[in-house]
């Protein structure tokens, strides 16, 4: 969309130009601009700047973006204009997906009807209407890099403040490829859930073509992601589920008697503990029971009971984890959830790691990212209490096929939430990666500080979904803003655009 003044306003300007041409031009402020001497790309698509109807310009070494309909749609910039408020720019406005089968991405097709010789002198002017970006008024006349106008089109300076901070664009500079302006991307790449020697496997965030239900990406990150069929994904999921069962416990049978719940003749819960009273005059609760067993050593077993309490199919889970040693049952009340992985130590103790209790649609129960140490005598100590951390994650716990999570000297890598475990959930400046031993001594994993810093940014998803420790013990970071995977361990990046991954129109 071109930002032209209303007819009445243009008429008034024309009269003023006729009467006071020199004064008016001085007021508008002529600015000498030039064509960039480097390539410019929009979402990875290189533009022929000399043929663009509205080319990119450079003013004071800052690249300027023309705010036409094509560019604002492609980059998800939401523009509006009226006579009183002037030009307003905000996030959004790109073509968003309805997330339905058959939807196609709108291809970016710039207008190439122009002719912009490099040796030509170009002059832009200051716009004479108010400008607001992301609800912040811009005093354009006093800005070192003001918005400009050329051929009745407003141009935006691609400063970090305007482009990145206010409009959420990504600016990528490469000395060979030039300036790449990225925005308006549909997120296609989803959480990594499995890897083998060659590929990372992930769930797609967006499916618009029938039969596409999974994605795999070469670990080199140098090739295009490949869509997987339902059959391929189904076979892979069977393998993954088998590996997950080995980590997350084997299903066991539980027996309900008049006085409680039993496992192999041992009572786990009393009848009172199993009783859930329905609300007065409300529908009755349904109670489902599931048992999982974790074999620690000969004669030493953990059993988790999962009680699902629901009404009309909606409800929540209650967890009870029990230690069984020499026929004696003890409930681990400080660890009221199923461990995602049990990690044996050389001294006969075990780490019990849980990456959180999923309440609904990826939302975790507060304080449910727990790590506990079960020592050789059967005593339990919660790392969250020892370190005063509301959340502790063990990277690699959810990685199928990754067996050994300890270093050669027996230390465990953990990620601390940086939020206190005192019930007030206050920040305490400890967020990041640490090494932990069985004496609950911690030391900072300095080599992972940059990864921890990116994790602390406000637009990151949960740690489980964004950082994946592969079976090769390398860290793969999913950057969910622009379909990017970063191999932190090898400092390699793979980036793909939604137009490459989706059908276009």
């Amino acid at each position: 969309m071109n930002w032209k003044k209303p007819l009445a306003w243009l008429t008034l300007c024309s009269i003023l130009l006729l009467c006071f041409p020199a004064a008016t031009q001085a007021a508008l402020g002529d600015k000498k601009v030039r064509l960039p001497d480097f390539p410019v790309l929009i979402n990875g698509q290189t533009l022929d700047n000399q043929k663009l109807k509205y080319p990119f310009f450079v003013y004071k070494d800052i690249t300027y973006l023309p705010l036409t309909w094509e560019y604002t749609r492609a980059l998800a910039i939401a523009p509006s204009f009226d006579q009183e408020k002037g030009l307003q720019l905000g996030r959004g406005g790109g073509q968003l997906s309805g997330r339905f089968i058959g939807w196609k991405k709108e291809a970016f097709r710039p207008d190439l009807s122009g002719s912009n010789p490099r040796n030509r002198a170009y002059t832009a002017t200051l716009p004479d209407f108010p400008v607001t970006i992301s609800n912040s008024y811009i005093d354009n006349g006093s800005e070192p890099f003001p918005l400009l106008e050329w051929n009745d089109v407003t141009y935006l300076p691609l400063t970090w403040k305007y482009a990145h901070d206010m409009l959420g664009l990504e600016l990528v500079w490469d000395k060979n490829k030039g300036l790449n302006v990225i925005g308006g991307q549909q997120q296609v790449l989803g959480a990594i859930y499995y890897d083998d020697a060659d590929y990372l496997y992930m769930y797609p965030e967006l499916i618009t073509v029938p039969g596409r239900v999974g994605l795999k990406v070469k670990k080199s990150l140098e090739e295009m992601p490949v869509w997987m069929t339902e059959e391929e994904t189904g076979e892979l999921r069977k393998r993954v589920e088998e590996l997950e069962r080995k980590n997350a416990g084997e299903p066991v049978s539980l027996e309900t008697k008049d006085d409680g719940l039993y496992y192999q003749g041992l009572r786990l819960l009393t009848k009172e503990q199993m009783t859930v009273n329905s609300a007065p005059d409300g529908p009755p609760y349904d109670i489902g029971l599931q048992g999982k067993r974790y074999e620690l050593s000969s004669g030493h077993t953990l059993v988790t009971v999962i009680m699902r309490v629901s009404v009309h199919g909606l409800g929540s889970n209650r967890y009870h984890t029990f230690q069984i040693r020499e026929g004696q049952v003890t409930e681990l009340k400080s660890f009221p959830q199923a461990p995602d992985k049990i990690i044996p130590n050389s001294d006969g103790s075990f780490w019990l790691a849980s990456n959180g209790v999923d309440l609904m649609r990826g939302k975790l129960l507060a304080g449910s990212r727990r790590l506990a140490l079960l020592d050789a005598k059967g005593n339990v100590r919660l790392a969250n209490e020892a370190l005063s951390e509301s959340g502790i994650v063990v990277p690699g716990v959810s990685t199928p096929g990754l067996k050994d999570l300890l270093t050669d000297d027996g230390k465990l890598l953990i990620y601390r939430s940086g939020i206190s475990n005192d019930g007030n959930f206050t920040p305490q400046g400890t967020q990041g990666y640490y090494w932990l031993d069985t004496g609950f001594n911690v030391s900072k994993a300095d080599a992972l500080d940059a990864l921890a810093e990116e994790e602390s940014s406000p637009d990151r998803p949960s740690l489980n979904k964004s950082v994946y420790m592969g079976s090769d013990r390398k860290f793969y970071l999913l950057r969910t803003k622009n379909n990017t995977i970063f191999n932190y361990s090898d400092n390699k990046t793979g980036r793909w655009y939604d137009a490459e991954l989706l059908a276009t129109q």
Side-chain angles (χ1 to χ4, degrees), residues 185-475:
Q185 292 290 292
Q186 299 295 297
Q187 185 62 33
V188 183
L189 302 184
I192 303 169
Y193 67 91
Y194 181 65
D195 72 293
D196 56 27
D198 299 314
Y199 287 95
L200 300 170
Y201 298 86
M202 59 186 56
Y203 299 113
E205 288 288 319
L206 184 63
I207 298 175
T208 60
V209 177
R212 290 182 173 182
V213 294
L215 283 161
K216 63 179 182 179
V217 180
K218 206 71 178 289
K219 280 188 172 180
S220 65
L221 304 181
E222 296 174 353
E223 299 179 18
M224 184 67 61
V226 177
W227 283 100
M228 299 172 63
T229 65
E230 291 185 32
E231 183 179 359
E232 291 171 329
T233 304
E235 289 299 317
L236 178 61
R237 283 304 307 165
K238 288 179 183 178
R239 294 206 306 271
V240 171
E241 288 169 4
E242 180 62 31
L243 291 170
E244 288 176 341
R245 276 196 293 270
K246 294 179 180 179
N247 290 335
E250 293 289 335
V252 295
S253 298
L254 303 172
E255 183 180 4
T256 302
K257 297 183 179 180
D258 291 339
D259 62 340
L261 184 69
Y262 284 75
Y263 166 72
Q264 293 187 351
L266 300 172
R267 191 171 71 171
L268 304 179
L269 295 174
T270 65
K271 183 178 180 180
E272 289 73 23
Q273 289 175 306
M274 296 176 60
T275 302
V276 179
N277 296 320
S278 299
D281 302 324
Y285 288 128
D286 294 322
I287 300 178
L289 294 170
Q290 180 184 2
K292 291 185 176 183
R293 180 185 63 199
Y294 309 82
E295 205 67 46
L296 302 182
S297 60
S298 179
H300 194 185
T301 304
L302 291 188
V303 174
T304 296
V305 176
I306 305 170
M307 295 177 56
R308 176 155 185 85
V309 182
S310 62
V311 179
H312 299 314
L314 300 176
S316 60
N317 292 336
R318 299 182 182 182
Y319 296 85
H320 299 270
T321 296
F322 302 90
Q323 176 182 205
I324 302 175
R325 289 168 59 97
E326 299 176 355
Q328 299 297 314
V329 178
T330 306
E331 183 172 0
L332 308 183
K333 293 186 178 181
S334 62
F335 199 84
Q337 56 204 94
D340 291 310
K341 197 176 185 73
I342 296 179
I343 305 162
N345 296 299
S346 60
D347 61 359
S349 64
F350 298 87
W351 290 111
L352 313 181
S354 172
N355 281 344
V357 175
D358 194 341
L359 289 176
M360 184 182 296
R361 297 179 181 177
K363 293 183 179 180
L364 298 180
L365 177 66
S368 65
R369 287 176 162 177
R370 293 187 177 99
L371 176 67
L373 182 69
L374 179 64
D375 69 21
K377 296 181 179 180
N379 301 310
V380 178
R381 186 181 182 190
L382 198 62
N384 302 68
E385 293 179 356
L387 304 180
S388 186
E389 291 286 340
S390 66
I392 296 178
V393 172
V394 178
V397 160
S398 301
T399 303
L402 181 57
K403 297 179 180 180
D404 189 7
L405 291 174
L406 299 176
T407 62
D408 292 340
D409 57 355
K411 291 182 180 179
L412 183 69
L413 182 67
I414 64 171
Y415 181 86
R416 301 173 67 175
S417 67
I419 306 296
S420 68
N421 193 42
D422 58 4
N424 295 320
F425 297 102
T426 54
Q428 55 184 10
T430 55
Q431 185 177 38
Y433 290 91
Y434 293 79
W435 298 108
L436 174 69
D437 64 22
T438 54
F440 290 90
N441 301 301
V442 293
S443 58
K444 195 79 181 301
D446 295 331
L448 297 176
D449 280 350
L451 181 62
E453 183 178 354
E454 182 160 353
E455 274 303 312
S456 65
S457 64
D459 61 343
R460 298 300 306 153
S462 70
L463 180 69
N464 281 349
K465 293 184 178 180
S466 61
V467 175
Y468 180 84
M469 179 188 278
S471 56
D472 52 9
R473 301 188 66 83
K474 295 181 179 181
F475 285 94

Side-chain angles (χ1 to χ4, degrees), residues 62-139:
I62 292 294
T63 306
Y64 274 65
L65 165 75
L67 294 174
T68 65
W69 174 259
E70 294 84 2
Y71 292 111
T72 56
R73 284 283 281 180
L75 297 173
I77 299 173
S80 63
F81 186 92
D82 65 45
Q83 190 168 345
E84 293 183 3
K85 297 180 180 179
L87 175 62
Q88 301 173 79
L89 300 175
R91 301 190 187 197
Q95 187 192 36
L96 300 180
S97 163
R99 294 185 177 271
F100 56 86
I101 299 295
W103 178 85
K104 293 183 179 181
K105 171 76 177 182
E106 181 180 322
F108 171 57
R109 298 182 178 90
D111 190 333
L112 297 175
S113 63
S115 177
N116 312 300
R118 287 192 176 276
N119 57 1
R120 174 182 164 188
Y122 297 92
T123 301
T125 59
L126 289 174
D128 54 0
F129 45 78
V131 176
T132 302
I133 302 178
S134 293
N135 298 319
S136 295
Y137 172 74
I138 306 301
D139 187 1

